[in-house]
Amino acid sequence: MIDRSVLKWIAVLTMIIDHVGAILFPDQIWMRIIGRVAFPVYSYCLAEGFRHTGNYRRYLGRLALFALLSEIPFDLAFYGVPFSFAHQNVFFTLTLGLILLRALELCREQLLFGAGAFVLLGLLAEVLHTDYGAEGLLMVFAFYLAQQGTSPWIGWGIFVLINLFGYVGGLQWAAILALLPIGLYNGKAGKKKQRFFYWIYPLHLLLLWIIEKYIGSGSWI
């Protein structure tokens, strides 16, 4: 069994492998397959963090801050320019996901309002072109349901269906592999390295951009 800290390490490592593959070795598909595990694990940890946080506003502020801090490294790493509106980093998706969970909690007895919140936030994710878009929010919602005692299998089912049929083509089916580490989760927080798990995202993107720009993709091997 593994705790939430180990889950976050798995998310970080699979994310780095994915980004190394995408930026430096685009022909190495196996790296992108491994990388499909990262976002589901992050989404699961977000839903868990929402359930256990003692300060929602601070949690939301931290996610939003790193969404902004990470955008220039993200754009440099993937587009080679400091500002691009083609695609926004995953912290924006997680920020919208946390807002969605809060809205669902507040509208627990008003399903119509909860559905409206999802539609509005999903549209915002699509308009902003956040990583994983509206499907990313749906994954966060699926894990939120999976953690509820009354309807866990609905959540698991939604997660599987999203990744099998929600994306046309591609490698997103491999995201289902995330159920292996998630299934081993013991419900405990583990050692807290909160700042590291936030800062590693923009810093590793900045490092990959430097390597790609000044050394060249794969040229040092």
Side-chain angles (χ1 to χ4, degrees), residues 103-183:
L104 292 174
E105 284 286 298
L106 295 175
C107 302
R108 185 179 288 272
E109 304 301 326
Q110 298 173 307
L111 296 180
L112 187 60
F113 287 102
F118 175 78
V119 171
L120 289 175
L121 291 168
L123 285 174
L124 184 57
E126 291 296 314
V127 169
L128 293 176
H129 302 291
T130 65
D131 216 1
Y132 289 92
E135 288 91 345
L137 298 190
L138 194 54
M139 269 194 260
V140 172
F141 172 66
F143 288 129
Y144 170 77
L145 284 182
Q147 293 168 6
Q148 306 300 310
T150 55
S151 52
W153 291 108
I154 296 177
W156 298 125
I158 291 173
F159 170 73
V160 171
L161 290 174
I162 294 167
N163 290 290
L164 286 182
F165 305 109
Y167 297 85
V168 179
L171 304 170
Q172 195 56 36
W173 56 267
I176 296 173
L177 297 174
L179 292 177
L180 295 175
I182 290 172

